[in-house]
Amino acid sequence: MCGICGVIRYDKDHTDETLIEKMLPALETRGPDDEGIYTKDGVSFGHKRLSIIDLSENGHQPMIDKELKLAIVYNGEIYNFQELRDELRKKGYSFRSTSDTEVLLKAYHAWGDEFVKRLNGMFAFCIHDETRGRFLLGRDRLGIKPLYYVEEGRAFYFASNTQALKSVGVIRPELSPEALHYYLSFHAVVPAPHTIFKNVKKLQPGTVMSIDANGEKKIFSYWDVTFERRETLSEAEWIERVLNGLRKSVKRRMVSDVPVGALLSGGLDSSLIVALMAECNPCSLHTYSIGFEDVGNEEGNEFYYSDLIAKEFRTKHQKIFINSRRLLPNIEKSVTAMAEPMVSHDAVAFYLLSEEVSKQTKVVLSGQGADEVFAGYHWYPKMMNGTRDAVTEYKKAFFDRTHEEIIDALQPKYHGSDVSGKFVSTHFAAPGATIPVDKALRLDTRVMLIDDPVKRVDNMTMAWGLEARVPFLDHELVELAASIPPELKVASSGKHILKKAAERLIPHEVIYRKKGYFPVPALKYLRNEYLDFARDILTTEKAKKRNLFNPAYVEKLLGAPEEHITVLGGSKLWQLTVLELWLQKMGC
């Protein structure tokens, strides 16, 4: 796991190495163990390393293969790299390291651009093929690893976060009205290739981009998931397949040259992962939970359930309690760590949890993705049984604001059409999913999941040099889940098949408890000093000069924040606060 960056010049002018030197500090926390720079005429790569596999100098990046005339800068983990290395050896390739990075280089040389289809893992990379005078950039199927880019004149810049791009002055502070619409309606999800800035893009998940010597770019998708029922199985058979698939996924993600721990919330998903990790490593499994102060009747922790699991599997468990005195000062730090603004209240929870966990380990498994893959959210039953059309049903159940309210929230220069509604309609109409709940599951798996929970966990863990692996997003498991009949997923108030599989491993009390989230109630209700914090951010001179939001709308939210809660339980005032604060932290 690492931070990567690079500059490609189409005019072949010598690339100034100082550009990379300016970008690397913004990637420091993603890879605090080592750094490297590769420079050729017209190209420079930079790398910050978090040493997980092959801790020796042989795993240093950027990695250069002089014989094949290839160079790579890469972020991620390839879980099947050992099998691929064995296959490549049979083809005559030799290896000087035990790293997965070198496997990527040889695999590209052996199989061309299609090599990405053989990878099981999370990754973002750029390969320089000196012989062919071309570059290949790629991103994993579920977008677990980020890759941002800017094209400026005759140069192409890329990095693991927007802060690195900002450090060399290529981000123009012109906001995208379309992205603002997504942000305010689609729970801050801005689908790739868009970002909040007009001139900054992100490579879409499951795609590769080639750039030739003249700067001509070609992008092709190498993966998608279809919701088709190819075989009829009994419920018991589906349960067995899911359990076997998840067991295989967890085992893959235990591959590491350093110890692997787990983030344990006490919910079904993380508890099931811990149970399967305990099968692989029953003696020295470390687990971590976090909790906050209660607000009113809303509890700020789930320690009761995480304690049950820790006791059941005899883990070395650490509970981390954060009081309000520590929470408030870290809000700005967590927002600063975001490559894009994110509104979910648990971002600061993951930030603080990661700070503590990183003191003890470099790798953890986390439960993100189960709700989107196995139908755990409340809107999936509504999509099965709704009386309205599918698009309307989805928007009513998920969107934070209507188009009309977005127009009310933004100043006129940012007004436009209902791009978020159109996006959902277009996605729902695409082939590969025919019934409404499958359409919603596909959209959430291919878009929402990637640019909300997955991005949030990556940003917050990597802010402390902590690698988070997500077993529920093994692409083979995702494909398996897509083939399960939806009625078997949405039963039992959602995740029926997963719950039945979990019955074989974890306590019934944990499986069938009321659904929980990482609770941070102080950021939902915004009382006292938290309300003062929001007011201060939204009324600064920078905010007034930006003139992004309608002042009357802001005052309405400030006047009664608890009356303006989204259908997903988020604070509309907090959404505005995070966006404005993030823009200020980006120097805009």
Side-chain angles (χ1 to χ4, degrees), residues 142-185:
L142 277 304
I144 303 167
K145 293 292 102 187
L147 191 59
Y148 296 92
Y149 64 91
V150 169
E151 194 164 25
E152 189 77 10
R154 295 287 293 165
F156 181 94
Y157 302 78
F158 68 88
S160 296
N161 60 26
T162 52
Q163 288 84 352
L165 297 174
K166 179 68 178 177
S167 67
V168 288
V170 296
I171 293 182
R172 295 195 298 269
E174 188 176 1
L175 304 185
S176 161
E178 294 83 2
L180 288 169
H181 197 284
Y182 287 125
Y183 178 90
L184 293 171
S185 64

Side-chain angles (χ1 to χ4, degrees), residues 401 523-526 530-531 534-535 538 553-562 564-566 570-579:
R401 290 172 179 80
L523 300 185
K524 176 178 179 179
Y525 297 109
L526 293 179
Y530 295 92
L531 180 57
R535 180 179 287 107
L538 291 168
Y553 182 81
V554 173
E555 285 303 317
K556 181 173 68 174
L557 300 190
L558 286 170
E562 294 181 37
H564 300 281
I565 303 295
T566 71
S571 167
K572 293 183 179 181
L573 178 59
W574 183 243
Q575 291 177 326
L576 271 58
T577 304
V578 168
L579 178 55

Side-chain angles (χ1 to χ4, degrees), residues 215-483:
E216 183 178 343
K217 296 185 293 296
K218 294 181 181 178
I219 299 177
F220 79 85
S221 173
Y222 65 87
W223 184 81
D224 200 356
V225 59
T226 57
F227 289 75
E228 298 175 352
R229 273 84 238 184
R230 297 186 178 89
E231 54 188 337
T232 303
L233 301 177
S234 68
E235 179 176 303
E237 289 171 320
W238 281 118
I239 291 168
E240 192 66 31
R241 285 201 180 185
V242 166
L243 196 54
N244 288 340
L246 187 55
R247 181 173 280 117
K248 182 187 293 186
S249 176
V250 168
K251 186 176 181 180
R252 281 172 174 158
R253 284 155 182 79
M254 297 293 284
V255 173
S256 173
D257 291 334
V258 298
V260 180
L263 303 182
L264 176 60
S265 70
L268 164 65
D269 311 331
S270 62
S271 299
L272 185 52
I273 287 171
V274 168
L276 294 171
M277 292 177 72
E279 292 181 354
C280 302
N281 185 13
C283 299
S284 59
L285 177 56
H286 290 259
T287 54
Y288 308 89
S289 300
I290 192 169
F292 297 87
E293 292 175 345
D294 300 345
V295 173
N297 295 323
E298 185 158 343
E299 286 190 86
N301 73 79
E302 298 175 336
F303 288 152
Y304 173 79
Y305 296 101
S306 59
D307 283 350
L308 281 178
I309 296 299
K311 183 178 180 181
E312 177 80 13
F313 297 100
R314 300 179 182 179
T315 73
K316 295 177 174 61
H317 188 58
Q318 181 178 347
K319 290 185 290 188
I320 301 161
F321 179 77
I322 306 295
N323 62 34
S324 59
R325 291 188 302 276
R326 188 174 174 197
L327 175 61
L328 189 59
N330 279 281
I331 291 174
E332 291 196 44
K333 294 178 182 177
S334 67
V335 172
T336 302
M338 297 175 181
E340 299 177 76
M342 293 174 268
V343 301
S344 291
H345 305 140
D346 63 3
V348 67
F350 276 110
Y351 179 84
L352 290 164
L353 177 60
S354 300
E355 179 183 12
E356 297 301 322
V357 174
S358 67
K359 297 173 183 177
Q360 302 181 41
T361 187
K362 288 184 175 183
V363 185
V364 288
L365 268 56
S366 184
Q368 273 62 47
D371 286 314
E372 295 83 357
V373 172
F374 286 98
Y377 291 126
H378 67 84
W379 54 87
Y380 299 129
K382 293 178 182 178
M383 298 298 296
M384 281 285 288
N385 307 312
T387 57
R388 294 176 288 226
D389 73 276
V391 173
T392 301
E393 200 72 59
Y394 182 88
K395 289 166 63 178
K396 288 287 186 182
F398 184 80
F399 272 24
D400 293 330
R401 290 172 179 80
T402 64
H403 175 64
E404 291 72 24
E405 186 177 352
I406 292 171
I407 295 300
D408 187 34
L410 294 170
Q411 290 286 34
K413 65 178 178 178
Y414 295 110
H415 290 178
S417 61
D418 183 9
V419 294
S420 304
K422 183 179 180 182
F423 179 83
V424 173
S425 297
T426 302
H427 210 282
F428 274 29
T434 57
I435 64 175
V437 70
D438 283 340
K439 294 174 185 289
L441 284 164
R442 181 180 61 181
L443 176 59
D444 290 348
T445 300
R446 298 293 284 126
V447 180
M448 185 273 283
L449 166 69
I450 293 163
D451 272 294
D452 186 13
V454 167
K455 180 171 65 182
R456 184 166 69 252
V457 171
D458 173 79
N459 280 206
M460 297 301 103
T461 54
M462 293 308 292
W464 295 100
L466 178 66
E467 175 180 306
R469 299 176 176 181
V470 277
F472 284 108
L473 298 188
D474 185 286
H475 74 271
E476 293 177 1
L477 184 64
V478 171
E479 291 167 353
L480 172 65
S483 67

